[in-house]
Amino acid sequence: MATSEINENTNAHENENGSSSGEPSNLSVRAAAATVYYPVAPGQQVNVRRGPNTGSQIVRVLPEDSRVAIRCQTRGETITGPYGTTDIWDSIAPGQYVSDAYVKTGSDGFVTIRCS
């Protein structure tokens, strides 16, 4: 999963008479994202589709023993696969979705942000 780090310099500003205003003098926020790759079900070639349902066009097929980075997740058609029954679909690239039932995320729920 992605990690985030927030750094704040919370030194208070002094106003004209020398008292503190309580506002941070310097706010620095940095998000560091680590890419996580999840394995697809062993021995499976997984269809990558244009949308989160089996009616969507197949844009490519992942070979056996592939690993995928999940950009975001969304709800779609309910699918049963090696990792259970779910309506969660993983976006692995813009316009490319695989059913989470074929991806070993270690969770029955969302593991990253929802697609907008």
Side-chain angles (χ1 to χ4, degrees), residues 84-108:
T85 299
T86 184
D87 67 348
I88 297 174
W89 286 70
D90 306 329
S91 174
I92 61 171
Q96 296 186 24
Y97 295 87
V98 295
S99 171
D100 197 60
Y102 287 87
V103 180
K104 186 177 183 180
T105 61
S107 174
D108 288 337

Side-chain angles (χ1 to χ4, degrees), residues 40-45 64-65:
V40 298
Q44 299 286 322
Q45 292 182 335
E64 291 182 26
D65 302 321

Side-chain angles (χ1 to χ4, degrees), residues 40-112:
V40 298
Q44 299 286 322
Q45 292 182 335
V46 178
N47 291 331
V48 179
R49 297 185 176 272
R50 182 76 52 209
N53 59 69
T54 57
S56 291
Q57 175 188 7
I58 296 173
V59 294
R60 64 185 173 122
V61 178
L62 297 175
E64 291 182 26
D65 302 321
S66 292
R67 297 177 69 82
V68 294
I70 300 172
R71 304 172 55 246
C72 60
Q73 294 176 299
T74 191
R75 296 211 183 269
E77 180 182 348
T78 299
I79 301 294
T80 299
Y83 297 116
T85 299
T86 184
D87 67 348
I88 297 174
W89 286 70
D90 306 329
S91 174
I92 61 171
Q96 296 186 24
Y97 295 87
V98 295
S99 171
D100 197 60
Y102 287 87
V103 180
K104 186 177 183 180
T105 61
S107 174
D108 288 337
F110 288 85
V111 297
T112 191

Side-chain angles (χ1 to χ4, degrees), residues 1-5 31-38 70-71 111-113:
M1 285 191 194
T3 58
S4 296
E5 181 180 286
T35 302
V36 176
Y37 290 87
Y38 298 94
I70 300 172
R71 304 172 55 246
V111 297
T112 191
I113 62 171

